[in-house]
């Protein structure tokens, strides 16, 4: 189970980081390299720049939030032969992972409301 938690936070971090890079490069509103955004955001340069900034900022935050659980999980793997997590720790990790997903999803919901 610890391997699944470790892999989950690695994937969350990498996906968030890729989304942030798209925002930093200014390609969040590009249909081929970015994401689906409302027509009003595509047509207005200010809204498009704001959308890129939102995605870059919030997805970077989500990527950074994905790192702290990796440290104790990796430490457990290195210290013990057969590590196991108690149910409380699994629930805490699941809740924390949900928070990371909400932080990463926030700019996309906000952009959807811009249109």
């Amino acid at each position: 189970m610890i391997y699944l938690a470790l892999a989950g936070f690695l994937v969350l971090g990498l996906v968030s980081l890729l989304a942030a890079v798209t925002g930093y490069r200014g390609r969040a509103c590009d249909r081929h390299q970015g994401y689906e955004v409302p027509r009003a955001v595509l047509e207005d340069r200010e809204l498009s720049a704001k959308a890129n900034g939102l995605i870059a900022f919030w997805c970077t935050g989500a990527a950074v939030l994905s790192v702290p659980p990796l440290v104790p999980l990796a430490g457990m793997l290195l210290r013990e032969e057969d590590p196991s997590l108690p149910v409380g720790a699994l629930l805490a990790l699941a809740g924390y992972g949900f928070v990371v997903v909400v932080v990463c999803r926030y700019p996309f919901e906000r952009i959807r409301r811009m249109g």
Side-chain angles (χ1 to χ4, degrees):
M1 190 57 82
I2 195 166
Y3 294 108
L4 184 62
L6 191 65
F9 279 104
L10 278 172
V11 169
L12 273 174
L14 289 175
V15 168
S16 301
L17 191 60
L18 287 174
V21 167
T22 303
Y24 282 117
R25 289 184 177 172
R27 297 180 181 161
C29 297
D30 184 1
R31 289 193 190 270
H32 300 292
Q33 297 176 348
Y35 309 101
E36 291 251 350
V37 295
R39 183 178 298 280
V41 177
L42 283 174
E43 294 171 353
D44 188 2
R45 287 182 186 239
E46 288 181 22
L47 287 178
S48 180
K50 186 174 182 178
N52 284 314
L54 282 170
I55 290 175
F57 178 79
W58 288 97
C59 291
T60 300
V64 169
L65 286 174
S66 298
V67 174
L70 297 176
V71 174
L73 290 173
M76 287 177 70
L77 282 175
L78 293 175
R79 277 183 270 129
E80 300 177 22
E81 271 185 33
D82 188 24
S84 63
L85 290 171
V87 174
L90 285 174
L91 289 175
L93 284 172
Y96 189 80
F98 180 74
V99 169
V100 172
V101 170
V102 168
V103 168
C104 191
R105 185 72 184 139
Y106 171 74
F108 296 101
E109 290 299 319
R110 189 154 171 210
I111 292 167
R112 188 176 59 84
R113 292 185 194 138
M114 284 182 189

